[in-house]
Amino acid sequence: MNKTADRIAAAAFLAVGALFMAESLRLSKSAYGSAVGPNVFPFLLGLVLVFLSIKLLFETRSYSDAADEKPPRQYKKFLVIFIAAVFYAALLETVGYVITTFLFLVIGFQTMEKGALWKSIAIAAGFSLGVYGLYVKLLQGTLPSWPIWFQ
């Protein structure tokens, strides 16, 4: 772990989170056909980002001052996740949120750490179904639905 890089990243994410919170307050408070306004989700995401950034700032205080050895660059992993993200964005509307998010997360988990495929599948399925259920069913928001051939 690089102390300076982590502090810079924490400060940048703290600023982005605060910006999300501030700008979400400028959005309308309610939307037609939805119990939750469009400002709630961005505000909560900004709040989570602010809290995690503050946590990272406090964690960097406990880093040792020993010389950091640079880890090898992992271009292959970056390229796989980048390509998966491009396909995720391209297919989100046609395939739907749950399936594309599930596939993107499984690919990302397996790229970062090989093995434990069933664990990756379970976490990806739980996350994609959980967020869809929470946001669409409970909060009555909208996300790209299931594909036409699946309905």
Side-chain angles (χ1 to χ4, degrees):
M1 293 188 225
N2 188 334
K3 188 176 192 175
T4 305
D6 282 352
R7 283 187 175 169
I8 291 170
F13 288 130
L14 182 68
V16 169
L19 184 66
F20 260 66
M21 291 171 62
E23 291 299 316
S24 71
L25 295 175
R26 295 176 53 186
L27 295 173
S28 66
K29 301 281 187 243
S30 65
Y32 179 74
S34 179
V36 178
N39 65 336
V40 172
F41 201 59
F43 184 83
L44 291 177
L45 287 177
L47 187 64
V48 168
L49 191 57
V50 165
F51 284 142
L52 291 175
S53 300
I54 291 171
K55 181 182 183 288
L56 181 58
L57 279 173
F58 281 116
E59 283 180 3
T60 58
R61 295 175 58 195
S62 65
Y63 286 0
S64 65
D65 290 330
D68 294 324
E69 57 182 64
K70 290 189 176 186
R73 304 212 185 229
Q74 299 175 348
Y75 294 113
K76 183 180 175 185
K77 288 183 178 184
F78 171 77
L79 192 61
V80 168
I81 291 178
F82 180 76
I83 291 170
V86 169
F87 275 107
Y88 177 78
L91 297 174
L92 184 63
E93 289 291 326
T94 56
V95 180
Y97 173 81
V98 176
I99 295 172
T100 52
T101 302
F102 170 76
L103 292 174
F104 176 72
L105 289 176
V106 169
I107 290 169
F109 292 157
Q110 289 300 302
T111 300
M112 296 307 292
E113 188 174 336
K114 294 272 189 219
L117 180 62
W118 289 109
K119 184 178 173 183
S120 296
I121 289 172
I123 292 170
F127 180 83
S128 59
L129 288 170
V131 168
Y132 186 81
L134 176 73
Y135 189 70
V136 173
K137 301 300 181 188
L138 185 66
L139 298 177
Q140 297 176 351
T142 58
L143 285 174
S145 185
W146 296 93
I148 294 172
W149 68 84
F150 207 68
Q151 293 180 351

